[in-house]
Amino acid sequence: MLTRQMLTRRGFAGIASCALCTITGFAATDASAQTPPAATPGVTRKILSQADGPTPGYVTLIVDIEIEAGVTIGRHTHPGIESAYMLEGGFDLPIEGQPTKSFKPGDAVVIPANTPHAGGKNGDKKSHIVSTYIVEKGKPLASPA
């Protein structure tokens, strides 16, 4: 069985992405994670999978996210890691402590826990992302930074 310490050494505290930014205000608890967060203009989300773990006190979510053309995502953080894969569209992805990345189809990104990031210059095409979040239960999925 993996322990929290083992996961930390393997980079547990190192995954998150701008797609997660779109889930601002979403509490990752057993009850609330089953229901999508309140609507954000230009952003739709669908929880594809949810499971407790990988350790007690955490929940893993796989979320399908669509961001309409021209919508920007404000600077925010997550109480865990996000790993995202861009299916279509794209935007600039500034992650604190890293150079801004042009996130485009076929790209994957990992954003560390509690690391401020955002999404901008979403162009004239809808962006479609699948993100996996491993976050602490009982904390908002995203908070303004």
Side-chain angles (χ1 to χ4, degrees):
M1 176 174 212
L2 294 176
T3 65
R4 184 176 297 173
Q5 182 180 20
M6 290 169 66
L7 288 170
T8 299
R9 283 195 312 260
R10 292 183 181 156
F12 176 76
I15 304 178
S17 165
C18 219
L20 185 52
C21 306
T22 64
I23 305 179
T24 300
F26 176 26
T29 65
D30 287 339
S32 65
Q34 295 173 4
T35 304
T40 302
V43 179
T44 58
R45 312 158 190 85
K46 180 179 179 185
I47 297 172
L48 302 175
S49 175
Q50 175 188 337
D52 285 339
T55 62
Y58 284 83
V59 62
T60 299
L61 302 166
I62 300 174
V63 180
D64 182 83
I65 303 163
E66 291 187 357
I67 306 167
E68 293 300 322
V71 173
T72 59
I73 306 302
R75 186 174 152 96
H76 64 277
T77 63
H78 307 287
I81 57 177
E82 178 184 4
S83 178
Y85 181 78
M86 179 71 71
L87 297 168
E88 64 179 302
F91 51 81
D92 288 346
L93 177 57
I95 302 171
E96 188 170 286
Q98 300 178 24
T100 297
K101 174 182 173 84
S102 177
F103 194 37
K104 60 188 184 318
D107 287 346
V109 66
V110 173
I111 300 173
N114 302 307
T115 300
H117 57 287
K121 295 186 181 177
N122 189 12
D124 60 357
K125 291 180 70 177
K126 173 173 53 175
S127 293
H128 188 186
I129 303 156
V130 174
S131 283
T132 299
Y133 306 102
I134 302 172
V135 294
E136 293 180 61
K137 285 185 181 181
K139 292 192 176 181
L141 185 58
S143 299

